[in-house]
Amino acid sequence: MARHEGSCHCGRIAFEVEADFQDAITCNCSMCRRAGTILAFVPRAAMTLKTPADDVAVYRFGSRTIAHVFCPTCGIKPFGEGVAPDGTEMAAINLRCVPDVDLDALNITAHDGASA
Ligand SMILES: [Zn+2]
């Protein structure tokens, strides 16, 4: 699998992720429609945070089950964290924060999170 580097805009949050990104989602929920994220889900274990864990800010809303991670300096949202129904810890990578991913080559599905 390919190794990708991702970060927020200012670099305070940086990470590596091992994945072959082909599929991703956009979402129309109250958070995603504002943030404009393009998300791909990977096991949390496939992602390594390279910057101090204390440097991330976390926003939770609604059921509060998803940690929406953002940078307290530049405000960008590089990833989220949550637990899949089977108990697997997952990360939702914002592929807009992974510069070597060709966003136009992704198979993007529009997820109707607003109705979920
Ligand atoms: Zn930043």
Side-chain angles (χ1 to χ4, degrees), residues 8-12 71 73-74:
C8 67
H9 189 259
C10 73
R12 188 170 177 183
C71 172
T73 300
C74 71

Side-chain angles (χ1 to χ4, degrees), residues 3-18:
R3 181 185 299 266
H4 302 274
E5 308 258 345
S7 67
C8 67
H9 189 259
C10 73
R12 188 170 177 183
I13 300 174
F15 60 90
E16 280 183 359
V17 58
E18 288 204 41

Side-chain angles (χ1 to χ4, degrees), residues 20-99:
D20 294 321
F21 293 119
Q22 294 175 335
D23 300 313
I25 67 159
T26 58
C27 176
N28 61 357
C29 81
S30 59
M31 165 59 74
C32 293
R33 65 180 294 147
R34 286 174 169 81
T37 44
I38 297 175
L39 301 173
F41 297 91
V42 301
R44 179 60 182 81
M47 194 196 89
T48 305
L49 188 64
K50 295 168 64 181
T51 46
D54 286 350
D55 274 1
V56 311
V58 174
Y59 177 64
R60 294 176 185 268
F61 69 99
S63 62
R64 307 183 74 81
T65 52
I66 299 172
H68 296 271
V69 170
F70 67 98
C71 172
T73 300
C74 71
I76 296 296
K77 292 183 49 168
F79 61 90
E81 295 174 313
V83 179
D86 69 359
T88 306
E89 289 187 37
M90 301 294 291
I93 307 295
N94 179 8
L95 294 182
R96 290 194 183 278
C97 294
V98 183

